[in-house]
Amino acid sequence: MISRKYHAIAVATVIASIGLFLLYYKVQILGMPFMPDETKPVYRIEAKITFEGRNRPVHVSLALPDVEEGVHIISEDASSSGYGFTKAKTAQGVRAEWAKRRVTGPQTLYYTFELILHDISKVKNIEEKEQLPQESELLLDIPVGLQSAAKNLLKDVRWRSADPHSFTAQLIRDFSDKDPSQAVKILLAKSNISKQDMLYHMLRYEGLTVKKLNGLFLDDAHRNFHLIPLIEVLHKNKWQRYDLETGKIEKDKKFFVWRKGGHSIIDVTGAKNSKITFSVNKRHVPSRYLIDNKNIVKNSAILDFSLFTLPVSEQNAFRHMLLVPFGALMVVFLRVFVGIRTSGTFMPILIALAFMETTLVTGLIMFVLIVSIGLVIRSYLSTLNLLLVARISAVVIVVITIMSFMSILSFKLGIEEAMTITFFPMIILAWTIERMSILWEEEGAKEVLVQGGGSLFVAVCAYFVMSNPLIGHITFNFPEVLLILLGMIILMGRYSGYRLTELLRFKSFMD
Amino acid sequence: MFFANPFKLKKLGVLGMNKRNVYCIGEHNSRKQYPMVDNKLKTKVVAQEVNIAVPQLLGTVCMQSDVRNIEKILEGLNGFVIKPAQGSGGKGILVIVDRKDDFFFKPSGEHVTFRDIRQHISNILSGLYSLGGKPDVAMIEQLVQFDPIFEKYSFEGVPDIRIILYKGFPSMAMLRCSTKESDGKANLHQGAVGVGIDMATGKALYAVQHNHPIDKHPDTGYDFSALQIPHWKEMLRLSARCYDMTHLGYLGVDIVLDKYLGPLILELNARPGLAIQIANKTGILTRFDMIDTATLNQSVEERVEYSIKYFSDTEHDKTSNIK
């Protein structure tokens, strides 16, 4: 009995000290910053090209971005096993070229940049000598029959605007309106031109200096998305960018331009189903480390084995996964030391993960709504006397129905936040409803409130821990913290003292 | 004061949930033995093999298709109990005390029909009352004709006696009386009354409801201080024998007293709760510590004598004096 206790303590201590040692090594010897505020954001952009080989020679050519001012690329890397790789300067700019003889089956190629941004606002003010007189635009790309429609629309917009900026914003609003005017409908439907090209030609016809851009927003982590088309308009020696959906883009939004002009971004010959997607993630790296040596990572065995070596999309998945242990720590703590009863042991963590997507207040409201509606419907199902599996499946369907109905309703009402409802794990919700309804029948409504409230309380605590930016920073940059957590949880698992709630329960012993 | 002082609780030897899980259950109860305890049908079969008195099994229903034959099983029976073999916390137990033709009467006076009974058994089989919703077996048991001595102390339900055994030594006991609030169930957290029992004499020590001391049964109004459990020593012996049957070091034994048959083992519990300490106003750990120092491998009779000798007290601190 005693030896097992010491065994557990010894194991926990060893595990935690390994974690602490790695942490110490990284912070003190390798100089990685422990606190997030000593750092500069490093953006990692990854282009992922997938295609299927057809047992023929394959040639892939990817347009690489012209580096803008204010952007500093610290590393770039093409990962492509078995492919010949070159960077070629062509008339269309720099292109990455992969080639391989005989390719079969699905293939994936990656091209990765790591970059830092200098102060954007300063860069923006730099005078750009691009006010070249542009060729006059005659809307020749637009089918003849539609040209007059386009011209009429321009005339109409001109009436409703004062300067090039408001003109552009107004035109984009007309095109992205949920219920577009007849002219816009015709223009979009009948011409074979993309929205970006259409706007480009029309603005040029209007005599504005316009550029087409494609690129990525750098803030917030994204996985597997496509390049976002933009329009840039020159006015009073300043370029202003416009999103084709939302209009004007604020200057502080960080946008990375992958492609200017109309050249193709990717050409694949000898294969089918080629596709390109992008991922962005952001991490924090100390500024001095960027200046001293951009590649410490490559030189240290420990860091070479870190999460940074994974493809970006996997890194982003780990960002969330690494937070789960903190939620688990919270659950263990509240169960073992406080004694809060929850419905389902780890249900609160999953709810907390959902809260991170929905934000706390919306999440709480939606959770309570779904579970209460679910309980009402479940109480009817219980009168049908179904077998367990069928009953749970019925509840799952009910939950999905409630979720979709709430999404539709909130969208109609204009409450965008409620659209995030899909982040709730529906199977877990169904089990929660099932468990609570049984609890209701057997122990009464009070117990449902106690356990439901307990679960939500634990979920909220876990949410606060998991959404803490410092904790997010530490777990991602120092995953060895998990070892320390593991040690702590093992120790807690041997805690045999009283729970806080038991001090209440055994109060009568004090008399 | 709002909270109890944990150091004083520790000094009093009060067992907490964490310690129960890590030490009592984790160290003394082997997982292998659980099915014998968690499945009441298995418990009954094993108990009968070693001649431990249990309520007689009248029949079982194992498959949904057998539910139709229930009329045959119930033929000529006036009082019986239908319960799930793997139910917990008294869930899914249907008690029938009387019958007139095709009407069956529950203790509350409500009547049910064959249709209701079939429905209930079908629910049991589909796992409505078992842990984790596992498919279950319905047991039909002889109705315990409970001893009139308890009539004063129970509202619409059979009171049972819970004895906790540590390494085979009866360590603490309580009588659980159902109340109107607990809906005929003997679970303390649902509002049943727990009465601490003196280990030597079987006399009532204290009574608590919702962790608060009371003197009289809230529904019947009878004073608990007059309560003395008959056949007490036999009950201790019966419980101690359950240890030899299960080898669970931390075991809860539930006993009912039948008017004609005497004490019967109702069920066993491998994870008995801690409320018994409140009903006895005594920490159970002091007794466990004493048992740890006692010689092992004693016979049933020796263990019962040990408990009677050392655990008989009405004062908290007397046990520690004996030490």
Side-chain angles (χ1 to χ4, degrees), chain A residues 8-170:
Chain A
I9 291 175
V11 169
T13 319
V14 168
I15 291 174
S17 0
I18 295 174
L20 273 173
F21 170 74
L22 287 174
L23 192 64
Y24 173 82
Y25 180 75
K26 272 183 163 180
V27 173
Q28 289 297 325
I29 313 290
L30 296 180
M32 291 185 71
F34 189 69
M35 303 300 284
D37 52 2
E38 315 161 15
T39 59
K40 233 178 156 155
V42 169
Y43 299 93
R44 188 176 150 114
I45 301 174
E46 179 186 86
K48 180 179 170 190
I49 304 161
T50 54
F51 54 88
E52 261 173 75
R54 290 190 297 181
N55 203 14
R56 282 200 215 158
V58 165
H59 181 260
V60 179
S61 161
L62 169 71
L64 296 181
D66 305 324
V67 178
E68 279 193 306
E69 281 188 80
V71 175
H72 177 61
I73 292 184
I74 50 175
S75 74
E76 45 191 315
D77 184 31
S79 92
S80 41
S81 57
Y83 281 80
F85 174 75
T86 49
K87 261 165 92 174
K89 270 199 179 128
T90 66
Q92 308 162 355
V94 185
R95 294 185 80 90
E97 316 256 354
W98 286 270
K100 191 179 182 182
R101 208 171 279 272
R102 290 209 177 278
V103 178
T104 43
Q107 304 283 317
T108 310
L109 301 175
Y110 291 100
Y111 199 91
T112 317
F113 286 102
E114 284 193 311
L115 54 93
I116 47 177
L117 297 178
H118 299 306
D119 203 336
I120 293 273
S121 57
K122 237 188 253 168
V123 174
K124 280 278 167 180
N125 288 333
I126 289 172
E127 201 73 11
E128 289 188 53
K129 299 281 178 201
E130 284 188 76
Q131 271 176 295
L132 308 166
Q134 50 182 7
E135 298 159 40
S136 58
E137 168 74 45
L138 296 169
L139 295 182
L140 291 180
D141 286 353
I142 300 177
V144 184
L146 298 174
Q147 285 179 4
S148 62
K151 285 174 190 167
N152 283 337
L153 180 64
L154 286 173
K155 207 163 123 194
D156 181 38
V157 172
R158 208 173 299 136
W159 271 105
R160 289 184 275 136
S161 60
D163 60 354
H165 286 325
S166 60
F167 182 87
T168 313
Q170 194 64 46

Side-chain angles (χ1 to χ4, degrees), chain B residues 143-155:
Chain B
L143 178 71
V144 175
Q145 303 287 333
F146 69 95
D147 200 295
I149 184 158
F150 292 139
E151 247 162 42
K152 298 177 198 167
Y153 301 110
S154 189
F155 183 84

